[in-house]
Amino acid sequence: MIPTASQEAERDFRERGLTGREADAARSALAGMTAAAAALEMGVSSSTVGNFRQRAYRKLGVTSARELAAQYGRQREEGRAAGDSRAALLARGLSQTQSDVLSLVAEGLSTDEVAERLSVAPGTVSSARATGYRMLGVHSREELAALLEREAAAPRRRRAARLAAACLAAVMVVAAAVTVTSYLGSQPPAVVETEFGEVPNVVGMDPQSAWEVLVAEDYFPVIQESRSTESPGTVVDVDVQALPENMGISMPLDPSGTVHAELNETPWKAEAILSVSGLRKIPNITLNCSERDARKLLEDAGFSNVEVAYQGDVDPSDNRVILARPTSGSWASPNEPVELTVTSDVTVPDVLGMTPLDASSELVLAGLSPDPYITEWSYSTSDTGTPVAIATDPMCGETARVGDTVRIIFDRPLEE
């Protein structure tokens, strides 16, 4: 559970237009939660939490969690204290609501203030407080606070003992940290200023996480191979440049080869070219590729580890690839095996209602020979329309061998 921020912070979250996810990310930073811990609560990746935090920081006029905590006073310490109180109350058998209410009552909040903080009715607060008091055997806020203080004292004593034993180790760690810092330099910035605006610094991320972060900020990601010696699958550089003039409507392809048609209306700010170490792009292995052609494409792209599964009675001299994994357009290590499924038995595609050129192209793509074989088409302006396919032999949906001829029947005569 991510603790609620102070009333001042929550008011600013609303007034400055933070989204629900951005507000949760800011609350987690104020509570001292790591990005990994916040990610578990929010149901997203750690890198996405970092992205939401950066958005929240910009809207709130800060640059880091430290500045955020300074702006809202002791919220981080208060969040931890409230969290400790809730944990102690839950351990004593109180419900989540009772624990939330009593932890805030112990801080001195009134019934109305607790109700506002938890977004519940004042009657719910009164009922939870009365039941909680009865279960704990206390009769006032002072007795409740004293009970929680006793609960917190034992862990603090144990922590103090461990602290003394850790002092020497801490000194050694600090010395090592100074050495490492002098070697590595300061931490890289969360964003990089460019002529197109602030761009998230995704160097060091895996390509999928970097892709998601950039898309969320309306930068069109394009991946390219880098011969860097960095760990394979790591973004080593980002080059931001203007969108190509002939780009038109372009749907981004993520590192897994998935086309995101839902993003084709995105008002992209610029193109972000990601250089990724140790990965290469799986070539475009279309359905009209034979096993021999597919192997040649993969070999030229640097993939020599190819595994083939034959489906049905395959003719070695005349076949087609019907499936490739990883998929065409995805990025993979050259050492990763590429699996091809090859067959000589194909299904006659549904070309009914298609124009002569489209029907012919669809059959060729499936590995079949159309009759008539049409490579271009035009018709007189006096004609009432273009002919369309109304039947095939063999029929659409039937099985045929690669290379078989399929007769196309149109609804009117074809004209030269």
Side-chain angles (χ1 to χ4, degrees):
M1 178 180 178
I2 299 177
T4 305
S6 67
Q7 291 184 6
E8 177 190 1
E10 293 291 345
R11 184 189 65 247
D12 283 357
F13 293 170
R14 293 190 298 270
E15 292 179 352
R16 300 192 186 187
L18 271 67
T19 66
R21 288 295 183 88
E22 291 167 353
D24 276 342
R27 293 182 187 109
S28 69
L30 282 170
M33 298 173 68
T34 64
L40 292 175
E41 295 291 340
M42 295 173 64
V44 297
S45 66
S46 299
S47 61
T48 302
V49 171
N51 187 35
F52 283 131
R53 284 181 176 178
Q54 291 302 323
R55 292 191 199 178
Y57 295 164
R58 288 198 296 272
K59 291 181 179 180
L60 294 169
V62 299
T63 61
S64 66
R66 179 176 297 179
E67 288 188 18
L68 185 70
Q71 179 165 308
Y72 295 107
R74 298 176 56 239
Q75 176 62 29
R76 178 178 296 210
E77 288 71 23
E78 291 171 357
R80 287 187 181 136
D84 291 342
S85 298
R86 279 192 292 272
L89 294 168
L90 287 168
R92 283 179 165 264
L94 272 68
S95 69
Q96 183 69 59
T97 299
Q98 293 162 355
S99 300
D100 288 343
V101 167
L102 264 62
S103 65
L104 296 176
V105 169
E107 292 178 22
L109 273 68
S110 67
T111 298
D112 290 339
E113 289 172 335
V114 173
E116 181 181 358
R117 179 77 66 89
L118 298 179
S119 298
V120 297
T124 301
V125 173
S126 299
S127 176
R129 181 178 57 215
T131 303
Y133 278 7
R134 185 171 61 254
M135 294 175 65
L136 296 172
V138 299
H139 304 87
S140 65
R141 189 197 70 80
E142 289 73 19
E143 290 183 16
L144 172 64
L147 173 65
L148 292 175
E149 179 62 27
R150 289 195 300 272
E151 291 282 352
R156 283 202 298 270
R157 286 194 295 270
R158 289 194 295 269
R159 286 196 296 270
R162 288 196 299 268
L163 180 61
C167 283
L168 180 59
V171 171
M172 296 175 65
V173 169
V174 170
V178 170
T179 302
V180 171
T181 301
S182 65
Y183 175 73
L184 295 179
S186 60
Q187 289 291 328
V191 294
V192 178
E193 290 288 348
T194 73
E195 61 180 300
F196 307 101
E198 291 183 341
V199 179
N201 188 356
V202 296
V203 172
M205 291 186 181
D206 64 272
Q208 185 66 35
S209 296
W211 186 94
E212 293 173 359
V213 168
L214 289 168
V215 165
E217 292 295 329
D218 296 338
Y219 287 96
F220 189 89
V222 177
I223 298 176
Q224 67 180 16
E225 175 190 358
S226 169
R227 298 302 177 94
S228 168
T229 57
E230 292 284 339
S231 176
T234 302
V235 177
V236 297
D237 187 37
V238 181
D239 181 23
V240 182
Q241 58 187 29
L243 295 168
E245 293 182 0
N246 60 350
M247 183 173 177
I249 297 177
S250 186
M251 295 173 286
L253 195 73
D254 73 15
S256 70
T258 303
V259 176
H260 290 265
E262 73 278 6
L263 299 174
N264 66 354
E265 299 287 337
T266 301
W268 303 109
K269 299 175 183 175
E271 188 175 58
I273 301 177
L274 305 176
S275 296
V276 182
S277 63
L279 298 185
R280 295 184 181 180
K281 190 174 185 179
I282 300 291
N284 187 22
I285 302 174
T286 59
L287 290 178
N288 63 345
C289 271
S290 66
E291 177 188 348
R292 181 185 61 186
D293 292 340
R295 284 182 178 274
K296 180 66 166 59
L297 287 171
L298 289 167
E299 181 181 346
D300 291 345
F303 295 92
S304 57
N305 187 1
V306 181
E307 300 176 356
V308 180
Y310 296 105
Q311 183 173 295
D313 181 17
V314 177
D315 182 349
S317 63
D318 206 352
N319 54 53
R320 292 293 182 272
V321 175
I322 59 174
L323 183 65
R325 293 186 182 280
T327 59
S328 297
S330 62
W331 290 79
S333 167
N335 299 322
E336 183 177 347
V338 179
E339 302 174 359
L340 303 178
T341 301
V342 176
T343 185
S344 290
D345 296 315
V346 294
T347 301
V348 178
D350 184 4
V351 298
L352 303 184
M354 291 187 181
T355 63
L357 181 57
D358 289 343
S360 182
S361 300
E362 192 73 17
L363 289 171
V364 170
L365 187 63
L368 300 168
S369 178
D371 180 23
Y373 194 116
I374 299 171
T375 59
E376 59 182 39
W377 176 260
S378 63
Y379 60 93
S380 168
T381 55
S382 63
D383 194 0
T384 57
T386 307
V388 295
I390 58 173
T392 61
D393 182 21
M395 293 190 299
C396 300
E398 290 188 351
T399 300
R401 295 288 285 181
V402 169
D404 281 358
T405 299
V406 176
R407 175 72 176 166
I408 312 175
I409 303 169
F410 294 96
D411 64 347
R412 68 191 69 190
L414 301 182
E415 299 179 357
E416 294 295 335

mmCIF file of all heavy atoms in Angstrom, residues 97-134:
data_model
loop_
_atom_site.group_PDB
_atom_site.id
_atom_site.type_symbol
_atom_site.label_atom_id
_atom_site.label_comp_id
_atom_site.label_asym_id
_atom_site.label_seq_id
_atom_site.Cartn_x
_atom_site.Cartn_y
_atom_site.Cartn_z
ATOM 1 N N THR A 97 -8.889 -1.064 7.632
ATOM 2 C CA THR A 97 -9.530 0.235 7.872
ATOM 3 C C THR A 97 -9.280 0.708 9.295
ATOM 4 O O THR A 97 -8.949 1.878 9.533
ATOM 5 C CB THR A 97 -11.037 0.146 7.601
ATOM 6 O OG1 THR A 97 -11.254 -0.219 6.237
ATOM 7 C CG2 THR A 97 -11.724 1.480 7.875
ATOM 8 N N GLN A 98 -9.439 -0.191 10.270
ATOM 9 C CA GLN A 98 -9.209 0.172 11.669
ATOM 10 C C GLN A 98 -7.762 0.620 11.885
ATOM 11 O O GLN A 98 -7.490 1.600 12.579
ATOM 12 C CB GLN A 98 -9.548 -1.006 12.580
ATOM 13 C CG GLN A 98 -11.036 -1.347 12.599
ATOM 14 C CD GLN A 98 -11.310 -2.737 13.137
ATOM 15 O OE1 GLN A 98 -10.381 -3.507 13.413
ATOM 16 N NE2 GLN A 98 -12.587 -3.080 13.260
ATOM 17 N N SER A 99 -6.813 -0.094 11.235
ATOM 18 C CA SER A 99 -5.397 0.253 11.386
ATOM 19 C C SER A 99 -5.097 1.603 10.759
ATOM 20 O O SER A 99 -4.359 2.415 11.330
ATOM 21 C CB SER A 99 -4.525 -0.834 10.750
ATOM 22 O OG SER A 99 -4.752 -2.091 11.359
ATOM 23 N N ASP A 100 -5.669 1.859 9.583
ATOM 24 C CA ASP A 100 -5.449 3.151 8.922
ATOM 25 C C ASP A 100 -5.998 4.286 9.775
ATOM 26 O O ASP A 100 -5.350 5.326 9.952
ATOM 27 C CB ASP A 100 -6.132 3.160 7.546
ATOM 28 C CG ASP A 100 -5.421 2.274 6.533
ATOM 29 O OD1 ASP A 100 -4.248 1.930 6.786
ATOM 30 O OD2 ASP A 100 -6.037 1.934 5.508
ATOM 31 N N VAL A 101 -7.207 4.100 10.312
ATOM 32 C CA VAL A 101 -7.846 5.148 11.108
ATOM 33 C C VAL A 101 -7.052 5.420 12.373
ATOM 34 O O VAL A 101 -6.713 6.569 12.697
ATOM 35 C CB VAL A 101 -9.300 4.762 11.446
ATOM 36 C CG1 VAL A 101 -9.871 5.688 12.524
ATOM 37 C CG2 VAL A 101 -10.174 4.802 10.199
ATOM 38 N N LEU A 102 -6.714 4.373 13.136
ATOM 39 C CA LEU A 102 -6.039 4.567 14.415
ATOM 40 C C LEU A 102 -4.626 5.114 14.253
ATOM 41 O O LEU A 102 -4.142 5.864 15.108
ATOM 42 C CB LEU A 102 -6.021 3.264 15.211
ATOM 43 C CG LEU A 102 -7.181 3.145 16.244
ATOM 44 C CD1 LEU A 102 -8.526 3.151 15.532
ATOM 45 C CD2 LEU A 102 -7.013 1.893 17.091
ATOM 46 N N SER A 103 -3.938 4.760 13.166
ATOM 47 C CA SER A 103 -2.593 5.299 12.972
ATOM 48 C C SER A 103 -2.648 6.811 12.772
ATOM 49 O O SER A 103 -1.751 7.540 13.219
ATOM 50 C CB SER A 103 -1.916 4.626 11.777
ATOM 51 O OG SER A 103 -2.602 4.937 10.574
ATOM 52 N N LEU A 104 -3.713 7.309 12.120
ATOM 53 C CA LEU A 104 -3.866 8.746 11.926
ATOM 54 C C LEU A 104 -4.389 9.435 13.188
ATOM 55 O O LEU A 104 -4.014 10.575 13.496
ATOM 56 C CB LEU A 104 -4.816 9.022 10.754
ATOM 57 C CG LEU A 104 -4.314 8.540 9.383
ATOM 58 C CD1 LEU A 104 -5.364 8.760 8.318
ATOM 59 C CD2 LEU A 104 -3.015 9.251 9.015
ATOM 60 N N VAL A 105 -5.270 8.761 13.926
ATOM 61 C CA VAL A 105 -5.754 9.301 15.195
ATOM 62 C C VAL A 105 -4.574 9.495 16.149
ATOM 63 O O VAL A 105 -4.477 10.510 16.859
ATOM 64 C CB VAL A 105 -6.805 8.358 15.814
ATOM 65 C CG1 VAL A 105 -7.107 8.771 17.262
ATOM 66 C CG2 VAL A 105 -8.085 8.371 14.978
ATOM 67 N N ALA A 106 -3.659 8.527 16.165
ATOM 68 C CA ALA A 106 -2.491 8.619 17.052
ATOM 69 C C ALA A 106 -1.615 9.808 16.694
ATOM 70 O O ALA A 106 -0.905 10.350 17.553
ATOM 71 C CB ALA A 106 -1.681 7.333 16.980
ATOM 72 N N GLU A 107 -1.657 10.253 15.437
ATOM 73 C CA GLU A 107 -0.877 11.416 15.019
ATOM 74 C C GLU A 107 -1.548 12.731 15.424
ATOM 75 O O GLU A 107 -0.966 13.802 15.270
ATOM 76 C CB GLU A 107 -0.699 11.408 13.500
ATOM 77 C CG GLU A 107 0.185 10.277 12.997
ATOM 78 C CD GLU A 107 0.307 10.282 11.485
ATOM 79 O OE1 GLU A 107 0.070 11.350 10.882
ATOM 80 O OE2 GLU A 107 0.633 9.240 10.928
ATOM 81 N N GLY A 108 -2.793 12.641 15.943
ATOM 82 C CA GLY A 108 -3.483 13.842 16.396
ATOM 83 C C GLY A 108 -4.503 14.391 15.435
ATOM 84 O O GLY A 108 -5.044 15.481 15.664
ATOM 85 N N LEU A 109 -4.827 13.675 14.366
ATOM 86 C CA LEU A 109 -5.805 14.153 13.396
ATOM 87 C C LEU A 109 -7.215 14.020 13.956
ATOM 88 O O LEU A 109 -7.527 13.065 14.679
ATOM 89 C CB LEU A 109 -5.709 13.379 12.079
ATOM 90 C CG LEU A 109 -4.695 13.919 11.051
ATOM 91 C CD1 LEU A 109 -3.269 13.726 11.563
ATOM 92 C CD2 LEU A 109 -4.870 13.215 9.713
ATOM 93 N N SER A 110 -8.069 14.972 13.615
ATOM 94 C CA SER A 110 -9.455 14.930 14.049
ATOM 95 C C SER A 110 -10.241 13.944 13.196
ATOM 96 O O SER A 110 -9.748 13.429 12.190
ATOM 97 C CB SER A 110 -10.089 16.317 13.922
ATOM 98 O OG SER A 110 -10.197 16.683 12.551
ATOM 99 N N THR A 111 -11.493 13.693 13.606
ATOM 100 C CA THR A 111 -12.348 12.769 12.842
ATOM 101 C C THR A 111 -12.512 13.230 11.407
ATOM 102 O O THR A 111 -12.391 12.441 10.461
ATOM 103 C CB THR A 111 -13.730 12.657 13.510
ATOM 104 O OG1 THR A 111 -13.572 12.114 14.831
ATOM 105 C CG2 THR A 111 -14.652 11.750 12.704
ATOM 106 N N ASP A 112 -12.797 14.529 11.227
ATOM 107 C CA ASP A 112 -12.984 15.047 9.868
ATOM 108 C C ASP A 112 -11.697 14.972 9.052
ATOM 109 O O ASP A 112 -11.712 14.690 7.843
ATOM 110 C CB ASP A 112 -13.483 16.489 9.915
ATOM 111 C CG ASP A 112 -14.919 16.585 10.413
ATOM 112 O OD1 ASP A 112 -15.645 15.564 10.329
ATOM 113 O OD2 ASP A 112 -15.322 17.679 10.863
ATOM 114 N N GLU A 113 -10.554 15.240 9.684
ATOM 115 C CA GLU A 113 -9.276 15.181 8.968
ATOM 116 C C GLU A 113 -8.943 13.758 8.545
ATOM 117 O O GLU A 113 -8.445 13.519 7.437
ATOM 118 C CB GLU A 113 -8.162 15.746 9.842
ATOM 119 C CG GLU A 113 -8.245 17.262 10.033
ATOM 120 C CD GLU A 113 -7.252 17.776 11.048
ATOM 121 O OE1 GLU A 113 -6.844 16.975 11.922
ATOM 122 O OE2 GLU A 113 -6.884 18.963 10.989
ATOM 123 N N VAL A 114 -9.214 12.787 9.436
ATOM 124 C CA VAL A 114 -8.985 11.378 9.087
ATOM 125 C C VAL A 114 -9.902 10.973 7.942
ATOM 126 O O VAL A 114 -9.484 10.290 6.988
ATOM 127 C CB VAL A 114 -9.213 10.466 10.307
ATOM 128 C CG1 VAL A 114 -9.135 8.988 9.895
ATOM 129 C CG2 VAL A 114 -8.187 10.763 11.389
ATOM 130 N N ALA A 115 -11.155 11.399 7.996
ATOM 131 C CA ALA A 115 -12.110 11.054 6.943
ATOM 132 C C ALA A 115 -11.657 11.607 5.599
ATOM 133 O O ALA A 115 -11.729 10.921 4.569
ATOM 134 C CB ALA A 115 -13.499 11.582 7.292
ATOM 135 N N GLU A 116 -11.157 12.852 5.612
ATOM 136 C CA GLU A 116 -10.686 13.458 4.358
ATOM 137 C C GLU A 116 -9.449 12.743 3.835
ATOM 138 O O GLU A 116 -9.329 12.497 2.632
ATOM 139 C CB GLU A 116 -10.375 14.934 4.589
ATOM 140 C CG GLU A 116 -9.898 15.642 3.313
ATOM 141 C CD GLU A 116 -9.580 17.101 3.563
ATOM 142 O OE1 GLU A 116 -9.771 17.557 4.695
ATOM 143 O OE2 GLU A 116 -9.109 17.765 2.612
ATOM 144 N N ARG A 117 -8.521 12.409 4.750
ATOM 145 C CA ARG A 117 -7.281 11.745 4.329
ATOM 146 C C ARG A 117 -7.555 10.382 3.712
ATOM 147 O O ARG A 117 -6.918 10.000 2.720
ATOM 148 C CB ARG A 117 -6.348 11.589 5.534
ATOM 149 C CG ARG A 117 -5.026 10.900 5.232
ATOM 150 C CD ARG A 117 -4.047 11.824 4.542
ATOM 151 N NE ARG A 117 -3.627 12.917 5.408
ATOM 152 C CZ ARG A 117 -2.585 12.855 6.242
ATOM 153 N NH1 ARG A 117 -1.872 11.743 6.328
ATOM 154 N NH2 ARG A 117 -2.263 13.884 6.981
ATOM 155 N N LEU A 118 -8.500 9.625 4.282
ATOM 156 C CA LEU A 118 -8.780 8.265 3.815
ATOM 157 C C LEU A 118 -9.925 8.207 2.822
ATOM 158 O O LEU A 118 -10.247 7.118 2.325
ATOM 159 C CB LEU A 118 -9.098 7.352 5.013
ATOM 160 C CG LEU A 118 -7.978 7.178 6.052
ATOM 161 C CD1 LEU A 118 -8.448 6.283 7.189
ATOM 162 C CD2 LEU A 118 -6.718 6.612 5.409
ATOM 163 N N SER A 119 -10.550 9.357 2.561
ATOM 164 C CA SER A 119 -11.691 9.422 1.624
ATOM 165 C C SER A 119 -12.827 8.506 2.071
ATOM 166 O O SER A 119 -13.379 7.721 1.289
ATOM 167 C CB SER A 119 -11.231 9.040 0.206
ATOM 168 O OG SER A 119 -10.254 9.945 -0.252
ATOM 169 N N VAL A 120 -13.172 8.574 3.366
ATOM 170 C CA VAL A 120 -14.292 7.799 3.899
ATOM 171 C C VAL A 120 -15.215 8.755 4.667
ATOM 172 O O VAL A 120 -14.887 9.922 4.894
ATOM 173 C CB VAL A 120 -13.817 6.666 4.833
ATOM 174 C CG1 VAL A 120 -12.962 5.661 4.073
ATOM 175 C CG2 VAL A 120 -13.041 7.229 6.030
ATOM 176 N N ALA A 121 -16.377 8.254 5.074
ATOM 177 C CA ALA A 121 -17.323 9.074 5.822
ATOM 178 C C ALA A 121 -16.861 9.233 7.268
ATOM 179 O O ALA A 121 -16.229 8.325 7.831
ATOM 180 C CB ALA A 121 -18.709 8.429 5.790
ATOM 181 N N PRO A 122 -17.166 10.372 7.923
ATOM 182 C CA PRO A 122 -16.809 10.553 9.335
ATOM 183 C C PRO A 122 -17.374 9.450 10.223
ATOM 184 O O PRO A 122 -16.746 9.040 11.204
ATOM 185 C CB PRO A 122 -17.407 11.919 9.680
ATOM 186 C CG PRO A 122 -17.438 12.650 8.366
ATOM 187 C CD PRO A 122 -17.754 11.600 7.348
ATOM 188 N N GLY A 123 -18.585 8.945 9.887
ATOM 189 C CA GLY A 123 -19.160 7.859 10.681
ATOM 190 C C GLY A 123 -18.316 6.606 10.635
ATOM 191 O O GLY A 123 -18.202 5.864 11.630
ATOM 192 N N THR A 124 -17.710 6.334 9.478
ATOM 193 C CA THR A 124 -16.825 5.174 9.347
ATOM 194 C C THR A 124 -15.610 5.339 10.249
ATOM 195 O O THR A 124 -15.154 4.379 10.884
ATOM 196 C CB THR A 124 -16.381 5.012 7.885
ATOM 197 O OG1 THR A 124 -17.533 4.850 7.048
ATOM 198 C CG2 THR A 124 -15.467 3.813 7.718
ATOM 199 N N VAL A 125 -15.085 6.557 10.323
ATOM 200 C CA VAL A 125 -13.931 6.821 11.190
ATOM 201 C C VAL A 125 -14.301 6.576 12.652
ATOM 202 O O VAL A 125 -13.572 5.909 13.399
ATOM 203 C CB VAL A 125 -13.436 8.266 10.997
ATOM 204 C CG1 VAL A 125 -12.336 8.600 12.014
ATOM 205 C CG2 VAL A 125 -12.930 8.469 9.573
ATOM 206 N N SER A 126 -15.460 7.112 13.090
ATOM 207 C CA SER A 126 -15.879 6.953 14.492
ATOM 208 C C SER A 126 -16.076 5.490 14.842
ATOM 209 O O SER A 126 -15.652 5.023 15.915
ATOM 210 C CB SER A 126 -17.186 7.730 14.726
ATOM 211 O OG SER A 126 -17.004 9.117 14.472
ATOM 212 N N SER A 127 -16.701 4.723 13.941
ATOM 213 C CA SER A 127 -16.950 3.307 14.208
ATOM 214 C C SER A 127 -15.643 2.529 14.289
ATOM 215 O O SER A 127 -15.446 1.703 15.192
ATOM 216 C CB SER A 127 -17.835 2.732 13.093
ATOM 217 O OG SER A 127 -18.019 1.349 13.279
ATOM 218 N N ALA A 128 -14.726 2.794 13.339
ATOM 219 C CA ALA A 128 -13.457 2.071 13.343
ATOM 220 C C ALA A 128 -12.629 2.411 14.570
ATOM 221 O O ALA A 128 -11.966 1.547 15.149
ATOM 222 C CB ALA A 128 -12.678 2.413 12.067
ATOM 223 N N ARG A 129 -12.688 3.687 15.005
ATOM 224 C CA ARG A 129 -11.927 4.093 16.191
ATOM 225 C C ARG A 129 -12.479 3.417 17.440
ATOM 226 O O ARG A 129 -11.716 2.885 18.265
ATOM 227 C CB ARG A 129 -11.985 5.614 16.345
ATOM 228 C CG ARG A 129 -11.188 6.138 17.551
ATOM 229 C CD ARG A 129 -11.243 7.656 17.620
ATOM 230 N NE ARG A 129 -12.635 8.099 17.691
ATOM 231 C CZ ARG A 129 -13.071 9.215 17.108
ATOM 232 N NH1 ARG A 129 -12.246 9.978 16.416
ATOM 233 N NH2 ARG A 129 -14.348 9.557 17.206
ATOM 234 N N ALA A 130 -13.813 3.382 17.587
ATOM 235 C CA ALA A 130 -14.416 2.765 18.780
ATOM 236 C C ALA A 130 -14.093 1.276 18.843
ATOM 237 O O ALA A 130 -13.713 0.743 19.905
ATOM 238 C CB ALA A 130 -15.924 2.980 18.769
ATOM 239 N N THR A 131 -14.222 0.589 17.697
ATOM 240 C CA THR A 131 -13.934 -0.856 17.682
ATOM 241 C C THR A 131 -12.460 -1.106 17.952
ATOM 242 O O THR A 131 -12.090 -2.028 18.701
ATOM 243 C CB THR A 131 -14.317 -1.448 16.311
ATOM 244 O OG1 THR A 131 -15.689 -1.188 16.053
ATOM 245 C CG2 THR A 131 -14.075 -2.949 16.288
ATOM 246 N N GLY A 132 -11.585 -0.285 17.361
ATOM 247 C CA GLY A 132 -10.148 -0.450 17.572
ATOM 248 C C GLY A 132 -9.746 -0.223 19.017
ATOM 249 O O GLY A 132 -8.932 -0.967 19.575
ATOM 250 N N TYR A 133 -10.305 0.823 19.637
ATOM 251 C CA TYR A 133 -10.019 1.076 21.061
ATOM 252 C C TYR A 133 -10.389 -0.138 21.903
ATOM 253 O O TYR A 133 -9.642 -0.550 22.810
ATOM 254 C CB TYR A 133 -10.818 2.295 21.537
ATOM 255 C CG TYR A 133 -10.197 3.641 21.222
ATOM 256 C CD1 TYR A 133 -9.077 3.751 20.426
ATOM 257 C CD2 TYR A 133 -10.761 4.797 21.739
ATOM 258 C CE1 TYR A 133 -8.528 4.991 20.136
ATOM 259 C CE2 TYR A 133 -10.214 6.051 21.456
ATOM 260 C CZ TYR A 133 -9.082 6.134 20.649
ATOM 261 O OH TYR A 133 -8.537 7.349 20.375
ATOM 262 N N ARG A 134 -11.582 -0.703 21.630
ATOM 263 C CA ARG A 134 -12.051 -1.847 22.426
ATOM 264 C C ARG A 134 -11.117 -3.051 22.256
ATOM 265 O O ARG A 134 -10.779 -3.723 23.238
ATOM 266 C CB ARG A 134 -13.471 -2.215 22.005
ATOM 267 C CG ARG A 134 -14.085 -3.323 22.862
ATOM 268 C CD ARG A 134 -15.575 -3.518 22.576
ATOM 269 N NE ARG A 134 -15.825 -3.891 21.191
ATOM 270 C CZ ARG A 134 -16.326 -3.094 20.275
ATOM 271 N NH1 ARG A 134 -16.625 -1.829 20.586
ATOM 272 N NH2 ARG A 134 -16.521 -3.513 19.034
#
